[in-house]
Amino acid sequence: MFSFIKKFFTIIQKDIKMEIIIGKNAGFCYGVKRAVDNALIEAKKGKVYCLGDIVHNKNVVNNLKESGIEFINDIQQKNSTTIIRPHGENKIVYKKAKEMGIKLIDLTCPSVLKIHGIVSQYSKEGYYIIITGKRNHPEVLGIKSYVQSNCIIISNIEELYESIEEISKEKKVLLISQTTYNSKSFKDIANFLKERLNGDTDLVIKNTICLTTENRQKETREIAQKVNAMIIIGDKKSSNTTELYNIALNYCANTQFIPNPEEIDLDKIKGIKKIGIMAGASTPKEDIHKAKEILLKNNY
Ligand code: SF4
């Protein structure tokens, strides 16, 4: 009798509970984790500055401020110790730091450093450089500073249509990307260039979207197709999280983009049986767990 009652209640419980699918690739990527961990180690050693927000996430920045790190917009403190964030920096910063006796803790993500090397090499060889990405994003501005030849930044294929006549005159062209660009858009742009540039142009395509970004976007696409609502956690300034939101929205109209788990709009997910959670590369794992807890606590 007792086992029958237990089984009965388990079935009811299952019926009323929402299924929550959390992306395996959600949250801090290796580049961000490496930067945050090392910044904390440096903070324990003494006074340290960080050039710009270490990542686009207010909570992470505030936690680091509490540990004593001071965030600055320009290197100005002579003989100080200053962190370079994972996005990387303009080439000129390294020169300036040397002149001012500043010790740089360079936490530029290795995937971004690789791009600096590629554009440096190809532009020296006279290639016209096309960078796909956000025009004013710090990572893109950093990449551009390593280009010594003609260069264009395009954020979408429409911008390429406008410049294609000009680009067609080039003999050597390199297509490269911001690490967090949309992988599908990059492929479309690459295919368009292959079609439009004739055989006389040496076209080199380097897909430098980082692997964790590609995996996160792929997983977001898959989850968004399986669920009735999606929650994307991350700062609105975060480029990679914005991409995740746009991808999810394509497949799931009921998608929320929230900076903090506390901001989940519970009314929008009332009665929904399956919900997906994904988070950007700069979102701490704790925020993901908190979001799950909030959903479970509200018995959705
Ligand atoms: S998103 Fe990719 S490139 Fe950017 S910090 Fe993370 S691992 Fe590095």
Side-chain angles (χ1 to χ4, degrees), residues 54-67:
I54 196 155
V55 287
H56 287 147
N57 186 295
K58 270 189 210 144
N59 298 339
V60 175
V61 171
N62 287 339
N63 284 344
L64 291 176
K65 274 184 190 164
E66 278 170 24
S67 72

Side-chain angles (χ1 to χ4, degrees), residues 38-269:
N38 279 292
L40 287 169
I41 292 170
E42 289 303 322
K44 281 185 191 146
K45 293 183 195 163
K47 182 72 192 167
V48 61
Y49 297 88
C50 181
L51 192 51
D53 288 351
I54 196 155
V55 287
H56 287 147
N57 186 295
K58 270 189 210 144
N59 298 339
V60 175
V61 171
N62 287 339
N63 284 344
L64 291 176
K65 274 184 190 164
E66 278 170 24
S67 72
I69 296 174
E70 193 174 323
F71 289 85
I72 50 174
N73 292 323
D74 194 9
I75 45 169
Q76 68 234 152
Q77 306 296 330
K78 281 186 184 170
N79 306 315
S80 65
T81 300
T82 300
I83 290 168
I84 301 281
R85 57 188 171 175
H87 292 319
E89 265 306 331
N90 193 304
K91 202 175 159 183
I92 213 158
V93 166
Y94 294 85
K95 193 171 167 261
K96 233 169 133 184
K98 204 173 171 190
E99 286 163 7
M100 294 169 76
I102 293 171
K103 180 187 169 198
L104 290 179
I105 308 292
D106 193 353
L107 299 178
T108 305
C109 179
S111 302
V112 177
L113 286 176
K114 191 175 143 200
I115 303 177
H116 292 174
I118 295 172
V119 294
S120 207
Q121 181 206 326
Y122 278 85
S123 61
K124 251 186 238 158
E125 291 172 19
Y127 279 77
Y128 180 95
I129 313 287
I130 305 173
I131 305 169
T132 56
K134 276 194 185 164
R135 194 160 286 111
N136 293 318
H137 192 280
E139 181 191 322
V140 174
L141 296 175
I143 294 169
K144 191 169 177 267
S145 73
Y146 285 85
V147 177
Q148 298 161 42
S149 55
N150 286 334
C151 167
I152 186 173
I153 300 164
I154 52 161
S155 51
N156 53 51
I157 200 162
E158 286 74 24
E159 289 179 16
L160 181 60
Y161 295 156
E162 287 168 22
S163 311
I164 195 67
E165 289 306 323
E166 207 50 41
I167 297 169
S168 306
K169 292 175 194 157
E170 298 290 334
K171 288 273 170 268
K172 299 197 256 185
V173 174
L174 169 74
L175 172 68
I176 201 156
S177 180
Q178 179 181 356
T179 53
T180 50
Y181 194 64
N182 183 298
S183 55
K184 189 185 171 303
S185 304
F186 184 82
K187 276 173 203 145
D188 291 344
I189 287 169
N191 287 337
F192 176 74
L193 281 172
K194 279 188 219 163
E195 267 171 40
R196 286 297 300 267
L197 300 183
N198 63 38
D200 292 342
T201 309
D202 174 13
L203 172 66
V204 177
I205 296 168
K206 298 270 183 196
N207 182 349
T208 46
I209 297 169
C210 82
L211 195 62
T212 65
T213 299
E214 287 226 46
N215 289 341
R216 211 176 302 113
Q217 290 180 1
K218 188 169 169 265
E219 202 180 19
T220 303
R221 216 167 278 129
E222 286 165 3
I223 296 175
Q225 289 176 67
K226 287 186 204 153
V227 297
N228 318 104
M230 274 296 279
I231 291 176
I232 308 290
I233 314 167
D235 201 290
K236 296 269 164 93
K237 267 163 79 185
S238 159
S239 180
N240 76 86
T241 319
T242 307
E243 278 305 331
L244 298 181
Y245 172 66
N246 291 333
I247 290 169
L249 204 57
N250 254 329
Y251 299 96
C252 176
N254 190 357
T255 296
Q256 297 183 39
F257 184 178
I258 48 156
N260 294 301
E262 290 80 9
E263 290 177 49
I264 296 175
D265 186 342
L266 295 169
D267 285 341
K268 286 192 179 160
I269 49 170

Side-chain angles (χ1 to χ4, degrees), residues 6-68:
K6 198 177 162 200
K7 199 175 166 195
F8 178 69
F9 277 109
T10 310
I11 291 168
I12 289 181
Q13 214 176 359
K14 260 190 186 170
D15 278 344
I16 58 169
K17 278 261 164 72
M18 167 196 274
E19 186 186 343
I20 300 170
I21 304 176
I22 300 176
K24 288 190 197 79
N25 296 290
F28 273 13
C29 61
Y30 77 89
V32 168
K33 189 176 179 314
R34 169 181 172 265
V36 172
D37 289 350
N38 279 292
L40 287 169
I41 292 170
E42 289 303 322
K44 281 185 191 146
K45 293 183 195 163
K47 182 72 192 167
V48 61
Y49 297 88
C50 181
L51 192 51
D53 288 351
I54 196 155
V55 287
H56 287 147
N57 186 295
K58 270 189 210 144
N59 298 339
V60 175
V61 171
N62 287 339
N63 284 344
L64 291 176
K65 274 184 190 164
E66 278 170 24
S67 72

